[in-house]
Amino acid sequence: MWISKTTTQAICDFNPWIFHTRDGHQIITSETTGFLEQSDNLYTESTTCFHKSRVDTQRFSRFEEYVTCFPCSASNFICVPDQCILEKKLFTTYRPGMLLEIVMYFALLEAIKENSPLLAFMEQDMSLTGHLLEYIFQHFKHKLILHRNVESMKTAMKSGRYQMVLLTNNLSNFKDICNMLGGLDAQVYTFSSLINKSSERNIRHQFPNVSLTQINCDQVLCKEMLGKTLPKVKRWLLLRQVRSTLRDIDVPVYQNGHVISFEKNIKSTDELVAQNIPVARLKHQLFSKHALYIIIGGLTGLGWEILKAISKGGGGILVSISRRSPNDIQRDDINEVEKESGCRIKTIKADISVFSSISEGFAQIKSSFPDHAIKGIFHGAAVVDDALLPDMTEEKFDKVLRPKVMGTWNLHLLSKDLTLDYFVLHSSITSAFGNAGQTNYGAGNAFKDATAFFRRGIGLAGQTINWGALKLGLIDEKTEKHLKSQGFLTMKENEIIQCFLYSLFVDPEQIICGIMDWKTVIKVSPDMLHIASRIQPIIDDLHLHDLTNPKKNKTGFMQVMETEELQNLPSNERKIKVEKIVSHIAADTCAVDITMLKVDTRLASLGIDSMKGMAFINNVYKYVSCKIPILAVMEEESTIGSITTLILEQILKCNDGERVRKSKKRNKKSDKQRKADKLIEETRFQVVTETENKTDIAFKIRILNGKEPKRLQWQTNDGENIIDFSEITNIQMKGKSGTKVLQVDTKNERYVFKSSDMEEVVQLLKQLEENFIMPNSTNL
Ligand SMILES: NC(=O)c1ccc[n+]([C@@H]2O[C@H](COP(=O)([O-])OP(=O)(O)OC[C@H]3O[C@@H](n4cnc5c(N)ncnc54)[C@H](OP(=O)(O)O)[C@@H]3O)[C@@H](O)[C@H]2O)c1
């Protein structure tokens, strides 16, 4: 596991060994010293101590200091088996780690089958002198000659000793020694903690002459083995001769290692508090007053919030880098933050996408604050320039990628030799989930994500935060509204900072922070289902399985329109309605912002493919009961408008048996419809034939559907009148002398249908419009 370097190690201004938090990483200790404690009394004035439920009071004293070798989490109290406890006084000169070393050598002795002399190599920087190894082997009458460098091993090999112990974690040294064998067979012993699996495979493959025995450290340190080994060690330590020799053995003082001693005088009745000693820092210790933090884009949006958070968190020097200098308002805000928190804020004008510019910025920082180590870099520089793929130009791509890709890499190059606590890349959920119109932005953020992993891989600090929608910076009101409709809610400042601090504290390579209304996300974005595996835990937690089943998926914002309902609408309204439905379906299927769609938007420009095409026609069928051919959707020239026309045509053909939904419901006219039909049939309209300026009294008027041409028929005192629809040039509803009239123009005549009942006129208009679409008809 990679553990970030703590500010303590770097700056030495506070102690990371804190005891009052349950957060943080646990560390395993293999060897501990301390005093015994009674089981019913878990708090004590002594610290590192053993707790044992069945203390053998005959064998152990509460006042004696003990050493144990037994792996357990670092804590003020540990429980260890009684066979694993040895009195510290047995070691004439005890140093931390000594018991563990002895245990390991005992295990090594046990593993060596042949009694022939051993050639041993111990890496110089292992913080071990090797004297203990030599002495233990000597005591047990096993000849061992120890070498501390590879060259001297070479000379020794000439004398023909080929049973070896190699205590090195340096693979190239290991291989050099094996190479020296020149193909001769050899038995080599080492520990599993020194050579990892892939190195082991490598050695076995490259040196088939080497029989490699790896002593498994986990097995050596398991309860059973320790239960057997430690009594042997104790018996050995009790030997007078051993004790006097150990007194003279050179005990190393660790140069590189740390001896960890816990705070004394912990008093708590809370068992958990006393038991957990995490190594992580407290949240309020994330930043140091002696350190310097660089915030790229720190004058606006997220950068500004982060700058304030670091200042509140105790950061000493804060440097904001952006292409512009602060304006007067920003300067006032900066002064206020400085006054409130006591930090110092410097602003530098530089472009991170240009190496010379940003390196000049770094040079300025170093010369202005030579005594402050740079401990954190927070990269939030970004610009957006959205466009759907066919309209995405190289220029737009370059513009958006520059601060994200070049900027990130420049920052990496300039900081790779620094010991940073944080190298945080502000990325977006766009690179995790995708977002139509943002291929450039998504790619730029994906580079940031990859860089975080790359840096971690080479042992440097690196973290990417994929932010969801934030109520600041790049997001305007329109985008916020759209994102909300897609299930992505904006995070407010306090929520952002909470997530930011949490991310630093827990320190994962990548973290997604956002507020998602997952139900809506899954409902309205069928695309989300493609990444269902990534969000599976969320689906499980929220029991959203039903929503992920496409059969059951229902789009919440649209209502299924019965064909009859659409037919009953005036032609203009129907057209608008269908156009709206088509736009919604296209926006959802292709996961684009509906506001970007127009009647002439080509479906191809939305990135429709055959999968999406199928989803599109299925949704059309679902919402308007019309089946449109896939080819009509996939055609290069298909637009929202052309699909709308296709659907309208189908709706109008419904009476000729082309309507797709042949539900019983459809065959049976609704009560309302029947009532309306009856009303028209029985209505006595006053019919005025304007050309002749003659007023007749109508007693029946109806539209003859079914056979072409459709006809409008009515009866007057003069007899039956019929106009074929093909003769009609215009239909309008107008206000005339306080009443509403329906005016039907033919090439030669104008008929005006008047009724005192407004509803009847409207019904007549509806019936006419359903059967006849006038290109220029207008409704008052
Ligand atoms: N707002 C959101 O909802 C949201 C969501 C997800 C992720 N994010 C991420 O959060 C970060 C910050 O976004 P924001 O919303 O706070 O945007 P913002 O307010 O526009 O901040 C961007 C900052 O970057 C600076 N900048 C741009 N190009 C630069 C360059 N080449 N060199 C130096 N500075 C440069 C800008 O200042 P100048 O123009 O003066 O240079 C500006 O101060 C971005 O990485 C963005 O991708 C934001």
Side-chain angles (χ1 to χ4, degrees):
M1 185 173 65
W2 190 92
I3 297 171
S4 64
K5 291 177 179 71
T6 66
T7 34
T8 304
Q9 284 166 327
I11 301 170
C12 296
D13 61 354
F14 53 67
N15 182 4
W17 294 91
I18 37 90
F19 8 88
H20 289 283
T21 172
R22 290 170 203 183
D23 290 326
H25 314 282
Q26 287 201 326
I27 53 161
I28 305 293
T29 58
S30 300
E31 183 175 322
T32 320
T33 62
F35 297 87
L36 285 177
E37 196 53 45
Q38 296 298 327
S39 61
D40 55 350
N41 182 11
L42 270 171
Y43 80 89
T44 174
E45 297 213 347
S46 63
T47 53
T48 38
C49 60
F50 305 116
H51 162 63
K52 207 173 134 291
S53 51
R54 294 183 303 278
V55 176
D56 177 353
T57 43
Q58 297 296 307
R59 223 191 108 192
F60 300 106
S61 154
R62 283 197 66 191
F63 306 103
E64 173 102 51
E65 195 172 2
Y66 293 93
V67 184
T68 180
C69 178
F70 188 74
C72 45
S73 306
S75 166
N76 297 89
F77 293 87
I78 56 169
C79 292
V80 295
D82 53 5
Q83 312 95 296
C84 297
I85 300 169
L86 270 66
E87 293 83 353
K88 194 176 173 188
K89 65 179 180 221
L90 288 176
F91 301 82
T92 37
T93 43
Y94 175 78
R95 63 161 166 83
M98 194 172 182
L99 179 57
L100 177 67
E101 200 183 336
I102 294 171
V103 165
M104 286 304 180
Y105 297 152
F106 269 60
L108 181 63
L109 259 174
E110 192 100 325
I112 293 170
K113 299 284 174 268
E114 278 181 51
N115 211 20
S116 57
L118 276 159
L119 201 57
F121 171 74
M122 185 180 272
E123 199 66 59
Q124 293 278 9
D125 59 5
M126 282 192 71
S127 304
L128 300 172
T129 58
H131 296 145
L132 253 181
L133 173 71
E134 283 176 314
Y135 178 62
I136 289 171
F137 272 70
Q138 182 194 334
H139 178 91
F140 289 101
K141 314 251 178 297
H142 205 131
K143 198 164 179 202
L144 175 141
I145 298 165
L146 181 66
H147 295 267
R148 301 304 302 262
N149 66 63
V150 179
E151 277 312 304
S152 73
M153 277 291 276
K154 198 172 186 174
T155 330
M157 268 187 198
K158 285 192 181 127
S159 58
R161 290 192 183 94
Y162 301 118
Q163 185 169 230
M164 296 190 288
V165 173
L166 300 184
L167 302 183
T168 173
N169 51 7
N170 181 327
L171 184 62
S172 80
N173 279 349
F174 203 112
K175 282 185 175 178
D176 281 353
I177 294 170
C178 291
N179 255 328
M180 290 172 196
L181 288 165
L184 289 173
D185 288 348
Q187 173 66 51
V188 174
Y189 297 91
T190 188
F191 288 101
S192 62
S193 56
L194 298 174
I195 297 289
N196 65 27
K197 270 277 157 218
S198 80
S199 305
E200 182 199 335
R201 257 182 247 127
N202 193 315
I203 292 163
R204 288 191 197 281
H205 181 74
Q206 199 175 336
F207 304 102
N209 56 317
V210 170
S211 166
L212 184 65
T213 302
Q214 268 188 301
I215 294 150
N216 186 323
C217 297
D218 291 337
Q219 273 173 20
V220 174
L221 297 175
C222 76
K223 189 177 167 189
E224 290 71 31
M225 277 298 283
L226 284 171
K228 286 179 196 159
T229 313
L230 282 167
K232 282 187 206 164
V233 171
K234 183 170 177 175
R235 281 198 294 278
W236 180 70
L237 284 171
L238 279 169
L239 297 173
R240 187 178 302 165
Q241 169 206 358
V242 172
R243 296 178 69 189
S244 69
T245 312
L246 283 183
R247 192 175 294 129
D248 301 332
I249 275 191
D250 183 15
V251 176
V253 177
Y254 286 128
Q255 295 298 320
N256 302 324
H258 299 276
V259 175
I260 298 158
S261 69
F262 297 142
E263 284 287 314
K264 296 220 186 287
N265 301 326
I266 300 166
K267 282 192 179 180
S268 170
T269 46
D270 181 348
E271 188 177 316
L272 277 168
V273 168
Q275 282 190 329
N276 286 331
I277 299 183
V279 293
R281 291 146 286 179
L282 280 176
K283 279 184 186 145
H284 69 259
Q285 292 172 326
L286 286 169
F287 308 106
S288 162
K289 65 176 187 293
H290 302 294
L292 186 148
Y293 302 93
I294 300 174
I295 301 120
I296 313 290
L299 294 179
T300 62
L302 181 63
W304 173 244
E305 293 308 316
I306 279 168
L307 185 142
K308 285 191 288 181
I310 301 177
S311 75
K312 262 193 204 151
I317 310 284
L318 280 59
V319 178
S320 167
I321 299 182
S322 34
R323 290 165 303 175
R324 278 167 286 195
S325 304
N327 57 32
D328 290 347
I329 301 173
Q330 287 168 332
R331 227 180 282 279
D332 287 349
D333 289 344
I334 287 173
N335 290 340
E336 208 168 300
V337 172
E338 280 184 323
K339 220 156 81 189
E340 263 174 27
S341 64
C343 70
R344 199 153 154 224
I345 301 172
K346 183 178 170 67
T347 59
I348 289 179
K349 220 173 124 180
D351 185 339
I352 49 157
S353 57
V354 180
F355 187 78
S356 55
S357 171
I358 187 67
S359 58
E360 165 60 21
F362 268 63
Q364 265 190 58
I365 294 172
K366 278 178 198 157
S367 66
S368 307
F369 306 102
D371 302 331
H372 286 80
I374 300 172
K375 299 310 297 176
I377 296 178
F378 303 86
H379 173 12
V383 284
V384 284
D385 199 351
D386 299 353
L388 293 173
L389 198 54
D391 306 322
M392 180 59 74
T393 59
E394 210 175 320
E395 197 188 359
K396 281 173 186 282
F397 223 83
D398 189 60
K399 177 178 159 193
V400 173
L401 247 60
R402 275 188 167 276
K404 293 265 176 198
V405 176
M406 300 304 289
T408 300
W409 197 246
N410 288 339
L411 288 174
H412 164 68
L413 293 178
L414 287 166
S415 68
K416 66 182 169 34
D417 297 324
L418 304 175
T419 320
L420 296 179
D421 290 332
Y422 312 111
F423 185 90
V424 175
L425 300 164
H426 296 298
S427 175
S428 159
I429 49 166
T430 303
S431 60
F433 299 152
N435 191 15
Q438 291 203 312
T439 43
N440 48 2
Y441 185 66
N445 283 312
F447 182 83
K448 281 183 156 183
D449 300 344
T451 306
F453 281 91
F454 165 74
R455 285 185 52 103
R456 287 280 176 116
I458 56 171
L460 299 174
Q463 185 175 35
T464 182
I465 306 179
N466 298 76
W467 292 102
L470 312 177
K471 208 173 170 57
L472 43 75
L474 295 171
I475 291 225
D476 55 26
E477 234 172 79
K478 190 178 136 207
T479 318
E480 185 184 351
K481 218 168 141 195
H482 167 66
L483 287 171
K484 192 176 174 189
S485 74
Q486 302 293 302
F488 297 103
L489 311 178
T490 47
M491 287 169 89
K492 293 185 203 75
E493 281 94 345
N494 60 335
E495 293 164 331
I496 296 169
I497 292 311
Q498 218 178 328
C499 286
F500 169 68
L501 296 178
Y502 174 83
S503 306
L504 298 193
F505 191 68
V506 176
D507 201 28
E509 290 94 334
Q510 182 170 24
I511 184 165
I512 295 178
C513 298
I515 305 176
M516 276 67 130
D517 168 5
W518 283 108
K519 271 190 187 169
T520 310
V521 169
I522 294 167
K523 266 191 207 167
V524 304
S525 297
D527 265 21
M528 271 292 169
L529 299 179
H530 300 162
I531 55 154
S533 58
R534 288 197 209 165
I535 54 173
Q536 198 58 47
I538 295 164
I539 292 170
D540 293 344
D541 277 2
L542 301 179
H543 308 291
L544 300 177
H545 303 96
D546 282 356
L547 290 174
T548 60
N549 179 353
K551 281 179 201 145
K552 294 180 186 170
N553 190 12
K554 278 186 188 160
T555 309
F557 63 90
M558 274 196 310
Q559 282 179 345
V560 173
M561 295 286 291
E562 293 294 341
T563 315
E564 285 85 351
E565 277 178 71
L566 285 168
Q567 283 174 328
N568 286 340
L569 292 175
S571 67
N572 256 10
E573 260 182 54
R574 183 171 49 232
K575 191 169 171 233
I576 292 167
K577 189 91 197 169
V578 172
E579 207 170 271
K580 200 169 162 194
I581 291 174
V582 173
S583 301
H584 267 295
I585 293 174
D588 272 2
T589 311
C590 303
V592 295
D593 181 353
I594 191 160
T595 57
M596 294 170 93
L597 301 185
K598 297 193 185 78
V599 186
D600 60 355
T601 302
R602 286 184 303 112
L603 295 184
S605 75
L606 307 179
I608 203 148
D609 54 19
S610 53
M611 287 284 285
K612 288 180 180 167
M614 287 310 291
F616 184 88
I617 59 173
N618 287 341
N619 276 331
V620 168
Y621 182 63
K622 185 157 68 181
Y623 292 107
V624 290
S625 309
C626 284
K627 237 178 197 165
I628 49 170
I630 183 77
L631 278 179
V633 177
M634 300 303 294
E635 260 176 19
E636 185 63 24
E637 295 310 315
S638 282
T639 60
I640 300 287
S642 72
I643 300 293
T644 305
T645 310
L646 208 64
I647 293 169
L648 285 171
E649 278 169 15
Q650 288 220 12
I651 290 169
L652 293 173
K653 277 185 195 164
C654 64
N655 273 351
D656 298 334
E658 300 224 3
R659 205 193 285 176
V660 180
R661 271 204 165 192
K662 289 179 178 166
S663 65
K664 286 176 192 164
K665 231 187 190 176
R666 200 200 57 151
N667 291 331
K668 282 188 211 158
K669 286 189 174 176
S670 68
D671 285 346
K672 203 177 154 197
Q673 183 68 36
R674 253 184 277 120
K675 203 175 144 202
D677 288 353
K678 204 170 160 224
L679 196 72
I680 301 293
E681 279 175 21
E682 289 173 4
T683 299
R684 281 169 183 267
F685 278 97
Q686 191 184 13
V687 184
V688 184
T689 321
E690 289 216 329
T691 43
E692 294 169 19
N693 211 10
K694 191 173 93 183
T695 304
D696 295 323
I697 302 297
F699 56 90
K700 245 188 184 173
I701 184 161
R702 60 191 154 120
I703 293 150
L704 302 176
N705 289 325
K707 286 182 191 157
E708 297 286 350
K710 292 180 184 106
R711 287 172 295 172
L712 178 65
Q713 181 192 35
W714 71 96
Q715 285 180 334
T716 64
N717 292 338
D718 291 341
E720 197 173 65
N721 294 278
I722 292 175
I723 325 171
D724 279 343
F725 277 18
S726 57
E727 290 169 43
I728 298 174
T729 54
N730 198 9
I731 299 172
Q732 286 190 47
M733 197 153 84
K734 287 198 165 181
K736 205 170 182 183
S737 358
T739 53
K740 289 273 167 167
V741 299
L742 188 71
Q743 182 185 297
V744 178
D745 294 344
T746 65
K747 280 174 198 142
N748 308 314
E749 285 175 304
R750 171 172 293 168
Y751 300 98
V752 179
F753 301 93
K754 289 185 188 174
S755 170
S756 50
D757 191 336
M758 178 60 197
E759 208 186 323
E760 288 162 1
V761 184
V762 172
Q763 284 301 335
L764 178 62
L765 173 74
K766 267 190 191 167
Q767 285 217 335
L768 279 170
E769 279 192 322
E770 272 161 26
N771 292 277
F772 181 77
I773 303 169
M774 294 297 302
N776 300 315
S777 64
T778 46
N779 299 322
L780 292 176

